[in-house]
Amino acid sequence: MGRSSKDKRDIYYRLAKEEGWRARSAFKLLQLDEEFNLFKGVSRAVDLCAAPGSWSQVLSRKLRNGKEKSEDVKIVAVDLQAMAPLPGVTQIQGDITKISTAQEIIRHFEGQSADLVVCDGAPDVTGLHDVDEYIQAQLLLAALNITTHVLKPGGNFVAKIFRGKDVTLLYSQLKIFFSTVTCAKPRSSRNSSIEAFVVCQNYSPPEGYVPNMSNPLLDHSYDVDFNQLEGPNRIIVPFLACGDLSAFDSDRTYPLQLDSDKEYQYLPPTQPPIQPPYQQACLLRKNNLLAKENSPSVSLDDALSAMNL
Ligand code: SAM
């Protein structure tokens, strides 16, 4: 493919270069703003998974309104990768699923709350859809966790989501914290992609919810005892592996003689099923009447009458 082929194929790629955006993704945030008026009254914003920085550019241009210095505007951008500097944007290089990164973001806000948190995070896609969707969901939950610490009540949160088969679970988790959750697909996001954006408006955590940095879905070194959590703080259901690691693995097959000193003895089921759907098939098989390849097929009625049934 020649150098200009992407230019020819993709209008947003071309436009991004013409308008000076670092990536075509800038248009996704701009189009989401057109629909939801996201930047109105916003002076403090967090951009999670920000590199190469086109969303931060949009925030910087829109919130600072072309001013060289704008003291009351604070934008914090976070990414695993380093990013070229942008006016009015403080950068943190780190992993948003790590507690230490979240704490650094919170420190930057010095007790003040953000009006808006955006997250365009995406994992390196593996091509295995279930894995990609799962990792994307984990990124979104990490972003939500950070958001619960820094967003002011009434603030908004926008995040990339993959509309996979388990997406309704994510919607339900988001609905716990925001009164309105909308799934939006900007024009600049390709139809062929399962990518969309959740626009979560009016942050209103359940009464008594205490944000905690130990996300049971993400981090195994918890600093809280989950059994001690009560009421709304137990909403995110922790998933824990339980049981002795030396116990039998339910996915493995073991030899029948588990105890080598004893002869194996078959034990019938404690309560066999009463009239299982496979009963007829078992009978046919016992009487060698199951249909076989390359042999004339016997109708079920004939087979049953051959067995006097
Ligand atoms: N919004 C950006 C822009 O407009 O330029 C594009 C973001 S790009 C699609 C996704 C970014 O997510 C990548 O830069 C990647 O490094 C970042 N990312 C993925 N996992 C991350 C993680 N765990 N912590 C921080 N950043 C992460």
Side-chain angles (χ1 to χ4, degrees):
M1 249 190 285
R3 269 183 174 216
S4 64
S5 66
K6 204 164 179 186
D7 267 16
K8 283 185 191 140
R9 276 184 293 130
D10 187 339
I11 176 76
Y12 286 108
Y13 176 83
R14 209 164 56 227
L15 273 179
K17 289 204 290 188
E18 277 170 21
E19 294 180 19
W21 303 112
R22 291 182 181 180
R24 66 190 292 293
S25 332
F27 294 105
K28 298 175 192 170
L29 187 57
L30 289 167
Q31 289 167 352
L32 287 167
D33 174 53
E34 272 168 32
E35 185 66 37
F36 295 94
N37 213 358
L38 294 170
F39 305 137
K40 190 170 174 221
V42 171
S43 54
R44 282 183 296 275
V46 183
D47 182 8
L48 300 172
C49 302
S54 78
W55 279 29
S56 289
Q57 275 185 297
V58 172
L59 291 172
S60 173
R61 286 194 202 175
K62 292 278 180 180
L63 306 190
R64 299 167 80 249
N65 239 341
K67 290 185 208 121
E68 274 287 294
K69 279 201 175 142
S70 194
E71 314 286 83
D72 47 348
V73 172
K74 192 167 207 161
I75 302 163
V76 176
V78 188
D79 202 285
L80 287 170
Q81 297 171 43
M83 212 169 94
L86 280 168
V89 179
T90 308
Q91 287 180 40
I92 298 171
Q93 194 173 351
D95 181 344
I96 67 157
T97 67
K98 290 275 184 304
I99 287 177
S100 53
T101 313
Q103 283 165 338
E104 210 178 323
I105 301 168
I106 295 160
R107 257 199 315 276
H108 270 281
F109 274 85
E110 297 163 338
Q112 290 181 306
S113 301
D115 308 299
L116 174 69
V117 179
V118 296
C119 176
D120 187 26
D124 287 338
V125 280
T126 61
L128 300 168
H129 296 314
D130 286 350
V131 174
D132 293 338
E133 278 163 38
Y134 175 77
I135 301 173
Q136 178 66 28
Q138 297 307 291
L139 267 185
L140 196 154
L141 288 171
L144 173 66
N145 208 27
I146 290 172
T147 300
T148 60
H149 285 83
V150 295
L151 191 61
K152 70 170 190 195
N156 297 335
F157 170 58
V158 177
K160 194 202 304 271
I161 193 166
F162 282 176
R163 281 171 306 148
K165 58 183 183 319
D166 294 327
V167 73
T168 43
L169 172 63
L170 281 175
Y171 292 152
S172 310
Q173 286 169 316
L174 293 166
K175 284 285 280 183
I176 294 167
F177 295 97
F178 294 89
S179 59
T180 312
V181 176
T182 313
C183 184
K185 177 92 174 164
R187 295 276 287 167
S188 49
S189 172
R190 294 186 180 92
N191 274 332
S192 54
S193 157
I194 57 167
E195 160 194 280
F197 294 85
V198 273
V199 179
C200 308
Q201 290 166 294
N202 189 20
Y203 178 55
S204 35
E207 220 183 298
Y209 180 78
V210 184
N212 89 71
M213 291 310 302
S214 299
N215 186 338
L217 294 163
L218 300 167
D219 208 300
H220 294 277
S221 50
Y222 318 127
D223 60 13
V224 285
D225 176 356
F226 288 104
N227 294 317
Q228 304 287 307
L229 297 177
E230 283 177 1
N233 299 303
R234 284 188 71 99
I235 281 173
I236 298 181
V237 181
F239 178 85
L240 295 174
C242 315
D244 190 337
L245 282 181
S246 58
F248 289 126
D249 178 347
S250 54
D251 288 315
R252 262 189 66 187
T253 308
Y254 291 91
L256 281 178
Q257 247 118 331
L258 299 174
D259 187 340
S260 53
D261 296 339
K262 284 193 207 144
E263 199 177 302
Y264 176 72
Q265 210 189 345
Y266 171 74
L267 294 175
T270 311
Q271 172 59 66
I274 295 165
Q275 212 178 12
Y278 50 82
Q279 198 170 27
Q280 256 181 16
C282 289
L283 264 173
L284 291 171
R285 187 168 179 196
K286 231 181 192 167
N287 291 281
N288 204 19
L289 288 166
L290 272 184
K292 290 189 189 107
E293 241 181 89
N294 303 328
S295 67
S297 63
V298 183
S299 76
L300 183 63
D301 283 345
D302 290 347
L304 293 175
S305 65
M307 289 187 292
N308 296 326
L309 290 173

